[in-house]
Amino acid sequence: MTTTSEVPGLVDKRAVKRKFKSEMSMAFVLIGIALIFEVLGWIFVGTSFLGNDQRLSIIILQVSVTGILAVGVTHVIITGGIDLASGSVVGLSAMVAASLAQGSGDVRALYPGLTDLFPLWPIMAGLLVGLITGWISGFLIAKTGIPPFIATLGMMVCARGAAKWYTLGQPIGLLTPQFTWLGKSYLILGFPVPLPVLIFLGVAVVSHIALGYTRYGKYTYAIGSNPQAARVSGIDIGSHLIKVYIVAGALSGLAGIVTAARAASAQPTMGTAYELDAIAAAVIGGTSLAGGSGRISGTLIGTIILGVITSGFTFLKIGSYYQEIIKGAIIVLAVVIDQYRRSRQARGT
């Protein structure tokens, strides 16, 4: 018997309803976490967590870079893969972009003959770095059969080493104002809005459309759901996987550019462990590590949840060591919940 979801062009209303309920549940979880920190703030700190506009602005700004990475990681995880290299690619892309964004006033400019460049050139260079690293990871996975975990782990180490080698471990500073405007805030309808946040939201919207309404998205979900069925239906799995990892790499490059612009400098250690936050945000947002399911809207909520948790821990003066332990526990819990949900769906309950 043919179901609605199996007929091309028709929408499974039950699946849409489940997704909507899942995202509404996450939204309520976000509100609940924020309220918990609000109560704990008055008890232990004597001040409001939500009533501080500056703190909320910082949360939104901090999650923008993680969010850009998380969107790219979501694409990869939906195919059943993983991307451990995104944080290191942030560092490498930031270094390359910053080296071409230095002003003529820097006597230690890496390229003295290429100072005061139009900002489009360093931006393109940073994106190119991300594209190349993504292509290499995708090529290794698609053409050699190396598991995504190993391929991206190798790229993580290589990219971080390349970032350190690029300037022999030295930071890059004195970037031009024309480049650093990418990391600043601007008044929109009377409210200061950080440009990185708008970039993140733009990336999220484009990815939502790509995954939900294009052939690219259909192929991505098909490969993650059932690679054999996808191959039989005529999908070139290898070619599509390369595209997916190129997209993830490009977004990592964009995150590196934004990071360098925000800091008005770059150093090889930028982006350290960002990949873990990106994966955590995607998983918390409902993207299944088993592949085949996940939505950008969920990743958006998951990113904000992770940002609120991190800011809340700092607000309560919880040590960074404890924060890492709790974050790890949250990731494991999210995976356990996902496994439980998938097992219930398999039983038809």
Side-chain angles (χ1 to χ4, degrees):
M1 180 177 179
T2 303
T3 64
T4 306
S5 60
E6 293 171 337
V7 180
L10 295 182
V11 178
D12 187 343
K13 294 181 179 179
R14 290 176 298 177
V16 172
K17 187 176 180 180
R18 284 198 301 267
K19 291 173 181 177
F20 178 75
K21 288 175 65 177
S22 174
E23 288 165 8
M24 285 299 295
S25 298
M26 286 188 289
F28 284 126
V29 169
L30 171 60
I31 295 171
I33 291 172
L35 291 177
I36 289 172
F37 281 124
E38 177 71 11
V39 172
L40 293 177
W42 285 111
I43 295 174
F44 296 104
V45 185
T47 186
S48 172
F49 174 71
L50 297 174
N52 189 317
D53 294 340
Q54 185 177 5
R55 180 178 299 109
L56 296 178
S57 299
I58 292 173
I59 292 175
I60 295 173
L61 185 58
Q62 287 177 337
V63 302
S64 59
V65 172
T66 302
I68 293 171
L69 289 180
V71 169
V73 167
T74 299
H75 287 240
V76 170
I77 296 178
I78 288 174
T79 67
I82 197 73
D83 187 2
L84 300 178
S86 56
S88 295
V89 175
V90 166
L92 179 58
S93 299
M95 293 294 288
V96 173
S99 69
L100 296 174
Q102 290 182 286
S104 56
D106 189 353
V107 296
R108 297 187 302 172
L110 192 63
Y111 302 113
L114 296 175
T115 56
D116 294 324
L117 290 177
F118 186 67
L120 178 63
W121 298 113
I123 291 172
M124 289 180 61
L127 289 174
L128 182 62
V129 169
L131 286 168
I132 292 173
T133 56
W135 180 85
I136 294 173
S137 295
F139 181 84
L140 290 174
I141 294 165
K143 302 302 182 182
T144 69
I146 295 176
F149 180 89
I150 300 300
T152 58
L153 177 64
M155 179 54 68
M156 177 183 75
V157 177
C158 289
R160 184 64 65 190
K164 295 176 181 177
W165 164 82
Y166 190 66
T167 59
L168 300 180
Q170 298 301 311
I172 298 174
L174 293 179
L175 308 187
T176 63
Q178 292 79 9
F179 177 78
T180 58
W181 72 269
L182 281 170
K184 298 185 181 300
S185 297
Y186 299 89
L187 287 176
I188 299 179
L189 299 177
F191 297 96
V193 179
L195 189 54
V197 175
L198 296 180
I199 294 173
F200 167 41
L201 294 177
V203 167
V205 169
V206 171
S207 290
H208 175 75
I209 295 172
L211 287 175
Y213 303 98
T214 68
R215 180 180 298 178
Y216 168 87
K218 293 178 181 178
Y219 286 4
T220 301
Y221 283 107
I223 292 171
S225 299
N226 192 327
Q228 293 290 32
R231 183 177 288 106
V232 171
S233 66
I235 298 175
D236 187 343
I237 293 179
S239 176
H240 190 76
L241 284 177
I242 292 175
K243 293 178 184 176
V244 171
Y245 280 89
I246 286 176
V247 169
L251 291 179
S252 297
L254 177 60
I257 294 166
V258 172
T259 302
R262 277 183 55 195
S265 63
Q267 51 186 340
T269 56
M270 276 182 165
T272 300
Y274 279 20
E275 65 277 356
L276 301 181
D277 285 344
I279 293 171
V283 172
I284 291 171
T287 303
S288 174
L289 287 173
S293 65
R295 286 163 60 87
I296 297 300
S297 53
T299 297
L300 177 64
I301 298 173
T303 301
I304 298 173
I305 289 175
L306 192 64
V308 169
I309 290 173
T310 301
S311 180
F313 288 158
T314 304
F315 171 65
L316 295 176
K317 298 180 174 58
I318 296 175
S320 58
Y321 302 122
Y322 299 110
Q323 291 187 31
E324 293 174 2
I325 293 172
I326 297 173
K327 273 187 186 179
I330 291 172
I331 295 172
V332 172
L333 179 61
V335 174
V336 170
I337 293 173
D338 174 63
Q339 292 294 327
Y340 174 72
R341 183 174 62 246
R342 291 176 69 88
S343 65
R344 287 193 61 185
Q345 290 176 356
R347 293 196 302 266
T349 58

